[in-house]
Amino acid sequence: MKSYIVALVLTIFIYSFGANAADDSNLGASFIFGDSLVDAGNNNYLSTLSRANIKPNGIDFKASGGNPTGRFTNGRTIGDIVGEELGIPNYAVPFLAPNATGKTILYGVNYASGGGGIMNATGRIFVNRLGMDVQVDYFNITRRQFDQLLGASQARDYIMKKSIFSITIGANDFLNNYLLPVLSVGARISESPDAFVDDMLSHLRNQLTRMYQLDARKFVIGNVGPIGCIPYQKTINQLDENECVSLANQLATQYNGKLKDLLAQLNDNLPGATFILANVYDLVMELIRNYNKYGFITASRACCGNGGQFAGIIPCGPTSSMCQDRAKHVFWDPYHPSEAANIIIAKQLLDGGKQYISPMNLRQLRDL
């Protein structure tokens, strides 16, 4: 009798979830991979120097009542905003969180980790972080959990047709690997920029192919933003407000050009898959160059941070100085955009044209 009741409850759960999943107006699940730009709290559960679960991070995050969650911004990440707009009722749960079990994961899982990169050596200065290889390993675990929750056939259909896989990674491979002051001098001598970028893309190709083999089909991959223009880079290089570090931006541009070619190849070679490119570089550069147009008062100074002309050396924490109007700063801290900037970026990814998101935007990808 007991086993019959358990089976009945499971059947009702699968049926009711399947009915909800059949609503084509909403995205089923959002699977988020990447670094601190989209980390929703995984690093809270690691012994790492890269953490954001301290105030005033999260001060404008309504879901937590303004308490820090591990997001490296004052409010929502781009991944949070996109998920909301595409109809997901809950934020993708961090994979390492204790509640990342059962029905909760059916709305999506966040594997992103502050300090993580495409290359396994990236971010070692932080001691612990989840690189992209590990994040894909963790998705493999989630993939098996979906089979257990929905049954193999429905799980495969749900992941292939009703889920989007977003990847926001690559900046740390430059900032906290190839360009890392002092520690990476040897790497730059032994490996040219061309060779390093090619190595990154070779690893990323393998990672995306592994995800495809686990039934991922709808991908959005962000290119690397203008990392030479963040407050940290401007501060340590003692630049003026309108200047950026040319080498960092050149490396990002070089990687971005080859990333575009890689995604075109994957679209041709992986049947049934759709890879779209989010042109984060041009989007963020537009905000930096024309910040007044979007209601900001600065695109150089961090709202929360300490050190130097642009508060760009010491990350945001309880002892940091904080700006009065957080919605008027493009950057929340020395590295990461504010929620106000994230909202503008997310809107372009959701509804924008091919200048910023191609060959289609995220609403069109959802509706494929």
Side-chain angles (χ1 to χ4, degrees):
M1 182 67 177
K2 183 178 179 181
S3 61
Y4 169 77
I5 293 173
V6 171
L8 180 62
V9 170
L10 182 60
T11 300
I12 292 171
F13 162 68
I14 292 174
Y15 175 80
S16 62
F17 179 78
N20 292 332
D23 181 1
D24 289 334
S25 65
N26 292 330
L27 182 67
S30 173
F31 295 101
I32 299 172
F33 301 77
D35 53 30
S36 55
L37 291 169
V38 288
D39 186 349
N42 279 308
N43 279 22
N44 298 352
Y45 306 98
L46 298 175
S47 297
T48 178
L49 299 177
S50 178
R51 299 180 78 164
N53 60 338
I54 52 174
K55 293 183 177 182
N57 291 297
I59 190 171
D60 298 308
F61 190 65
K62 294 179 181 178
S64 68
N67 291 309
T69 62
R71 288 166 170 82
F72 290 77
T73 186
N74 59 306
R76 294 166 295 168
T77 67
I78 294 171
D80 294 329
I81 298 163
V82 166
E84 286 180 355
E85 288 293 320
L86 294 183
I88 297 180
N90 299 324
Y91 296 124
V93 62
F95 177 84
L96 295 179
N99 64 326
T101 59
K103 187 178 179 180
T104 302
I105 70 171
L106 295 175
Y107 298 111
V109 179
N110 185 311
Y111 307 90
S113 172
I118 295 169
M119 310 292 286
N120 289 324
T122 294
R124 58 189 170 184
I125 190 174
F126 301 117
V127 184
N128 283 317
R129 71 283 176 207
L130 307 178
M132 190 63 184
D133 278 337
V134 174
Q135 293 181 36
V136 178
D137 289 342
Y138 284 165
F139 172 63
N140 189 23
I141 295 172
T142 301
R143 181 66 189 82
R144 294 196 298 269
Q145 292 172 328
F146 265 69
D147 281 347
Q148 294 167 1
L149 287 166
L150 300 178
S153 178
Q154 187 178 350
R156 187 168 187 265
D157 193 60
Y158 185 71
I159 288 171
M160 292 177 70
K161 298 178 181 178
K162 294 285 294 179
S163 303
I164 286 179
F165 293 77
S166 65
I167 298 95
T168 305
I169 205 158
N172 283 320
D173 293 286
F174 297 117
L175 292 174
N176 291 303
N177 188 340
Y178 195 73
L179 293 175
L180 199 63
V182 182
L183 296 180
S184 292
V185 171
R188 290 198 295 276
I189 293 173
S190 63
E191 190 170 25
S192 69
D194 282 346
F196 184 77
V197 167
D198 287 344
D199 205 7
M200 284 176 64
L201 288 159
S202 175
H203 279 76
L204 183 62
R205 176 193 291 272
N206 291 337
Q207 291 154 357
L208 295 175
T209 302
R210 284 181 62 202
M211 293 168 66
Y212 175 84
Q213 291 167 346
L214 293 169
D215 295 328
R217 290 297 182 270
K218 297 182 180 183
F219 296 84
V220 54
I221 294 91
N223 63 16
V224 172
I227 51 178
C229 302
I230 63 176
Y232 169 74
Q233 285 287 313
K234 287 190 175 190
T235 300
I236 65 169
N237 288 282
Q238 299 181 330
L239 300 183
D240 292 334
E241 184 173 3
N242 296 322
E243 292 181 306
C244 297
V245 179
S246 58
L247 176 59
N249 281 355
Q250 286 168 9
L251 287 170
T253 301
Q254 184 176 349
Y255 167 82
N256 292 345
K258 293 188 175 183
L259 173 65
K260 184 177 181 180
D261 293 339
L262 170 62
L263 298 187
Q265 293 169 19
L266 293 176
N267 272 322
D268 289 339
N269 297 332
L270 296 180
T274 301
F275 290 85
I276 67 174
L277 175 65
N279 186 4
V280 176
Y281 187 97
D282 284 351
L283 252 174
V284 175
M285 189 61 86
E286 165 67 14
L287 291 183
I288 290 171
R289 288 174 174 164
N290 300 301
Y291 60 88
N292 286 321
K293 173 182 171 183
Y294 299 93
F296 297 106
I297 59 173
T298 178
S300 298
R301 184 176 179 83
C303 173
C304 183
N306 284 108
Q309 180 182 358
F310 303 115
I313 296 178
I314 302 173
C316 183
T319 61
S320 300
S321 61
M322 187 170 68
C323 65
Q324 291 294 314
D325 194 341
R326 298 179 289 276
K328 299 292 185 182
H329 283 62
V330 171
F331 288 97
W332 162 244
D333 67 9
Y335 301 91
H336 307 99
S338 64
E339 183 186 58
N342 283 337
I343 290 170
I344 294 171
I345 295 167
K347 180 171 177 53
Q348 287 294 335
L349 301 183
L350 285 159
D351 301 305
K354 292 183 179 180
Q355 177 184 2
Y356 295 131
I357 183 86
S358 63
M360 65 188 72
N361 62 42
L362 289 180
R363 290 196 202 276
Q364 294 166 334
L365 180 66
R366 175 196 62 186
D367 296 338
L368 272 182

